[in-house]
């Protein structure tokens, strides 16, 4: 598992010395704090993640666990517990586990859902590291059957476009609020308005 973690961390393109230091700090922190056993901490850290982001996190966890060639019972129980607490559909999780473990998948609907959830385009706003991570998980999954788009699928793409616009507006609002804060701060520093 440490080897798989190292491979993942290498994708961040940090200088070699920084990478070694980050790896040591992460592993030391995990061992000392035992954060992996504190589900409340995990839920706090993942609270703001979208469903695809949570699924990508669990997918990589499965990948790390099978990096030694097998998924043992304890690892499986732990990952299922995490997935359940993150609200991940157990049917999709079963299909993911089968794909990562190299087993045959007969559930084409769930497989199509996995491909949709892990579509690298969903992670572009997060950066290339996440796009590459999604690509690596997609490569493990069997290819999906091409289906005609239903009106619901078309609507989802449209909604995703609206989400990007909303995100852009949120960033603009944050910038405006910060500028307003700076103006108020400057007025306060120059005593332009009476104190209350």
């Amino acid at each position: 598992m440490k080897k798989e973690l190292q491979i993942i961390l290498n994708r961040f393109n940090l200088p070699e010395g920084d990478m070694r230091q980050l790896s040591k700090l992460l592993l030391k922190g995990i061992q000392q704090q035992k954060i992996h056993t504190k589900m409340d901490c995990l839920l706090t850290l993942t609270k703001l993640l979208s469903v695809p982001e949570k699924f990508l996190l669990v997918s990589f966890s499965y990948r790390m666990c099978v990096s030694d060639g097998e998924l043992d019972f304890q690892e499986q129980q732990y990952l299922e517990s995490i997935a359940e607490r993150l609200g991940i559909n157990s049917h999709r999780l079963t299909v993911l586990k089968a794909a990562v473990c190299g087993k045959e998948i007969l559930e084409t609907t769930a497989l199509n859902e996995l491909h949709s959830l892990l579509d690298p385009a969903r992670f572009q706003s997060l950066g290339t590291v996440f796009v590459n991570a999604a690509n690596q998980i997609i490569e493990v999954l069997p290819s999906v059957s091409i289906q005609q788009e239903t009106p619901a699928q078309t609507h989802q793409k449209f909604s995703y476009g609206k989400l990007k616009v909303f995100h852009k507006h949120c960033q603009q609002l944050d910038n405006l609020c910060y500028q307003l804060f700076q103006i108020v701060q400057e007025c306060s520093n120059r005593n332009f308005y009476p104190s209350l």
Side-chain angles (χ1 to χ4, degrees):
M1 194 177 303
K2 288 182 181 179
K3 184 178 178 182
E4 186 70 21
L5 177 62
Q6 190 64 47
I7 291 169
I8 291 168
L9 292 175
N10 285 337
R11 292 191 189 107
F12 287 97
N13 294 325
L14 294 173
E16 185 64 33
D18 292 347
M19 182 59 65
R20 262 188 262 115
Q21 185 177 6
L22 177 62
S23 297
K24 286 179 185 177
L25 289 172
L26 279 173
L27 293 172
K28 182 179 178 182
I30 289 169
Q31 290 170 347
Q32 286 179 344
Q33 301 298 321
K34 302 215 182 296
I35 197 164
H36 60 285
T37 62
K38 300 174 184 174
M39 286 298 170
D40 290 340
C41 292
L42 175 70
L43 294 176
T44 300
L45 290 171
T46 59
K47 184 178 183 179
L48 297 178
L49 296 181
S50 67
V51 173
E53 291 166 350
K54 289 176 183 178
F55 210 82
L56 183 63
L57 175 68
V58 170
S59 299
F60 250 92
S61 300
Y62 267 99
R63 216 83 199 250
M64 287 175 61
C65 285
V66 298
S67 64
D68 61 357
E70 64 180 350
L71 178 66
D72 70 38
F73 183 73
Q74 273 187 316
E75 291 171 331
Q76 181 177 333
Q77 292 293 329
Y78 178 73
L79 291 176
E80 286 175 1
S81 173
I82 288 175
E84 181 181 337
R85 296 216 175 148
L86 292 178
I88 291 178
N89 177 299
S90 62
H91 191 66
R92 291 176 184 160
L93 190 65
T94 301
V95 173
L96 173 68
K97 182 174 68 173
V100 171
C101 293
K103 296 180 181 175
E104 184 179 6
I105 299 173
L106 301 174
E107 292 289 330
T108 56
T109 302
L111 185 58
N112 284 332
E113 290 173 1
L114 290 184
H115 274 274
S116 175
L117 280 170
L118 295 169
D119 181 357
R122 289 184 180 269
F123 304 99
Q124 286 182 342
S125 64
L126 299 175
T128 56
V129 172
F130 295 95
V131 171
N132 292 340
N135 271 324
Q136 288 184 355
I137 300 298
I138 289 284
E139 288 172 3
V140 174
L141 298 176
S143 60
V144 294
S145 59
I146 298 174
Q147 298 177 340
Q148 284 188 321
E149 282 190 355
T150 64
Q153 289 170 325
T154 305
H155 178 70
Q156 287 174 348
K157 286 184 180 178
F158 183 71
S159 296
Y160 185 68
K162 283 186 175 181
L163 180 62
K164 287 175 109 175
V165 171
F166 176 76
H167 182 67
K168 182 180 176 184
H169 289 298
C170 285
Q171 287 176 332
Q172 290 172 340
L173 183 59
D174 282 345
N175 289 336
L176 290 172
C177 287
Y178 181 72
Q179 290 171 6
L180 182 61
F181 170 77
Q182 286 181 321
I183 291 169
V184 170
Q185 181 101 20
E186 186 63 27
C187 288
S188 175
N189 291 344
R190 294 182 183 203
N191 295 321
F192 284 149
Y193 59 86
S195 58
L196 299 175

